[in-house]
Amino acid sequence: MDPAVKKETGYIAVWVVLLSLVMEAVFVITGYWNLSVLFGNLGGAAIAIGNFFLMALIATRAVERGLDSGKPEDAAKRVKVTAAPRLLACLGLCVILIAVFKTNVYATLIPLLFPRIAIAFRPLIDRKRGVKAPGTEGSDLID
């Protein structure tokens, strides 16, 4: 497995755990916390991290195959083809958690947004650490 996949999945996992703790605190403060919130949060967080891991793994393998075949544009097509089935699998797992295990709907679905929040904050964190995004040299909009 590519070390970048491990590193980025770890980054996402840390953000998901931190944001999950914040969400749990909000449920506690508002008085709506119960075990269905905890189990929904745990399930939703696991699904979110797993989805990101699969996406990163699929993207890495698609790029490797695209470079090996001499057709790097095929990599984007392969990743796009897997997006819908991954989304359906995530939704299916959430439905199972909510319907069968009676988890809180909001606590189950909200963690699916946490990886997007983590990705949105990544450039700010990298900029603060002095790390430049690869392939952005000479870009006035990014620099």
Side-chain angles (χ1 to χ4, degrees), residues 7 19 27 46 50 53 57 66 97 103 107 123-124 128 132:
K7 179 182 173 189
L19 291 171
F27 273 98
F53 173 74
L57 194 63
L97 281 173
T103 61
L124 298 173
K128 190 169 188 168
K132 272 191 152 182

Side-chain angles (χ1 to χ4, degrees), residues 83-102:
R86 279 187 299 104
L87 178 63
L88 289 174
C90 287
L91 292 176
L93 289 171
C94 286
V95 167
I96 290 170
L97 281 173
I98 294 165
V100 176
F101 297 104
K102 306 294 185 215

